[in-house]
Amino acid sequence: MKPKFNLFPASHLNNIAVLKRVNGALFFLCGVFSLLSFGYIKSIQNRFFGEEDMSAYSVNNDDLSVREEKTVEARPFSYYEDIIKKRGLFKGITPPEKKNKKTLTQTASELLAGYSLKGILSEDAPQAIIEDKRTKQTYFLNQGDSLGKFLIEEIKEGKITLDLEGQKIEMSL
């Protein structure tokens, strides 16, 4: 007597028949799994929201006619502009204001008033000797060093060139 179901039949035609059966069984199992998953999700939904809460999501034509619609009053832009200014919503987005050259020159001269060029050492790497008038400290600075907000651009005999935010300022002995 020949068995009805053979997992390893001898001919290729029988292999195809077995694969069709396995494919059909997998398809059936996927369908059952999908239905079970849907039922499980619905049970969780009812557990969290309850049946009375779900009725709020259903649409009923009678409810639509009874409900009052809220209207939003249109306000002028100035109303919202004041709120925006108070909160500073776009604080980091606005580009910084460019300083006026006169203001920058004034600031530079005020800052330089606190320093005095005392001398220049002319060596392979020249150094500027600068005294801070407020603290009475003396600094020996090279080209590229900073002095407060200033950057020492160039050291020449008798003078140095400083840079303050892109503006060149000379300081002489």
Side-chain angles (χ1 to χ4, degrees), residues 114-131:
Y115 298 104
S116 166
L117 181 63
K118 294 296 182 183
I120 295 177
L121 296 176
S122 299
E123 297 176 359
D124 292 338
Q127 288 186 322
I129 304 169
I130 300 175
E131 180 186 22

Side-chain angles (χ1 to χ4, degrees), residues 119-144:
I120 295 177
L121 296 176
S122 299
E123 297 176 359
D124 292 338
Q127 288 186 322
I129 304 169
I130 300 175
E131 180 186 22
D132 187 345
K133 294 178 183 177
R134 291 178 213 112
T135 62
K136 302 293 183 197
Q137 287 186 337
T138 304
Y139 300 102
F140 291 79
L141 300 172
N142 295 320
Q143 185 175 339

Side-chain angles (χ1 to χ4, degrees), residues 80-119:
Y80 298 106
E81 186 177 27
D82 293 338
I83 294 172
I84 291 170
K85 285 180 182 176
K86 287 178 186 175
R87 291 187 183 174
L89 297 176
F90 305 108
K91 194 174 193 177
I93 297 175
T94 57
E97 294 180 21
K98 294 183 179 179
K99 293 185 178 179
N100 194 355
K101 278 193 171 187
K102 290 180 182 179
T103 309
L104 197 57
T105 306
Q106 241 178 357
T107 307
S109 62
E110 290 171 5
L111 291 172
L112 275 179
Y115 298 104
S116 166
L117 181 63
K118 294 296 182 183

Side-chain angles (χ1 to χ4, degrees), residues 9-36:
S11 71
H12 294 292
L13 294 175
N14 288 338
N15 283 340
I16 293 173
V18 170
L19 289 175
K20 283 182 180 180
R21 287 184 194 135
V22 170
N23 193 17
L26 287 174
F27 184 74
F28 176 76
L29 288 174
C30 287
V32 169
F33 179 74
S34 298
L35 289 175
L36 290 174

